[in-house]
Amino acid sequence: MGMRLKDFVSVLEMARIVGEDEREISGIAYDSRKVVEGDLFVCISGYSTDGHVYAQEAVKRGAVALVVERKLDNVGDVSQVIVDNSRRALALLAAKFFAYPADKFINIGITGTNGKTTTSILVESILRAGGYNPGLIGTISARIGNKEIPVSNTTPESFELHKMFAQMARLGQDSLVMEVSSHALALDRTYKIPYDIA
């Protein structure tokens, strides 16, 4: 089920829509290779590449709107949502898209140079012993329900995080322990996640 662009992006601070604001949005992508028909493509500026470069490819694959930090030319008549920070926009949109699953948990974030993995496993064990049903996201893997899922980063991109939170909520998990790297903090991957303990 889709959502109108103007309603979907209402969570963004200081966003300006250029083009049609009634378009139906059925999904979000920030990797142009994963775009499907009806997606909102978020152009993220990274260290090694700039997602704005892939906007045309995303449109060819079916993106009906773009989140950009600057207005783009040569992308056809797709709508553009201009924001100051597309990484923060992705985090806010992902939370809304998955119906704010992190709000359902006790959230514990563990950061620091050394000891994050050991500490997160200990905290997860303490929660379990206390009668909670925790999920875990860390360097080694993510534990969702009774499944171990490999992760490519200590702290995945915000869209993946909220997707995992939603899976955990569906499985009845009530708490979350996650490793939060300094890199992830700098890149706003955990932007606006409501940590109870960090």
Side-chain angles (χ1 to χ4, degrees):
M1 187 174 99
M3 186 182 301
R4 288 186 307 176
L5 178 64
K6 68 179 181 183
D7 297 331
F8 192 33
V9 303
S10 64
V11 294
L12 302 181
E13 301 135 353
M14 305 295 289
R16 179 169 62 93
I17 300 174
V18 176
E20 175 57 53
D21 64 1
E22 296 279 341
R23 292 179 190 271
E24 285 283 313
I25 303 298
S26 54
I28 307 172
Y30 64 93
D31 181 336
S32 60
R33 296 166 297 184
K34 296 180 179 177
V35 170
V36 297
E37 189 69 39
D39 273 356
L40 171 65
F41 179 67
V42 183
C43 300
I44 292 178
S45 300
Y47 288 130
S48 57
T49 188
D50 182 349
H52 294 78
V53 171
Y54 302 101
Q56 282 184 321
E57 181 185 344
V59 171
K60 285 179 187 170
R61 289 179 178 265
V64 296
L66 307 169
V67 172
V68 296
E69 292 177 350
R70 60 187 181 272
K71 188 174 183 302
L72 300 179
D73 298 321
N74 304 316
V75 290
D77 69 345
V78 298
S79 303
Q80 297 185 51
V81 182
I82 303 171
V83 297
D84 288 336
N85 185 318
S86 57
R87 282 190 172 278
R88 288 185 173 186
L90 177 61
L92 293 169
L93 291 167
K96 181 168 185 169
F97 183 75
F98 290 108
Y100 300 98
D103 292 355
K104 300 175 174 77
F105 304 135
I106 294 170
N107 293 294
I108 300 170
I110 298 164
T111 192
T113 306
N114 297 311
K116 291 190 297 294
T117 301
T118 301
T119 304
S120 64
I121 291 169
L122 286 170
V123 171
E124 182 203 25
S125 298
I126 291 166
L127 286 169
R128 200 172 298 285
Y132 290 94
N133 182 11
L136 175 72
I137 299 173
T139 303
I140 298 170
S141 64
R143 193 169 300 130
I144 300 172
N146 57 9
K147 290 186 179 176
E148 295 275 337
I149 297 167
V151 293
S152 55
N153 298 308
T154 297
T155 311
E157 189 56 75
S158 58
F159 181 80
E160 270 70 44
L161 283 176
H162 288 281
K163 184 176 182 180
M164 286 189 263
F165 299 163
Q167 292 168 338
M168 291 175 186
R170 279 196 300 275
L171 292 170
Q173 294 186 281
D174 54 15
S175 49
L176 169 67
V177 181
M178 65 181 291
E179 294 182 50
V180 182
S181 68
S182 56
H183 189 67
L185 290 170
L187 295 178
D188 288 314
R189 290 180 181 165
T190 58
Y191 184 65
K192 296 284 190 181
I193 291 175
Y195 288 112
D196 296 284
I197 301 170

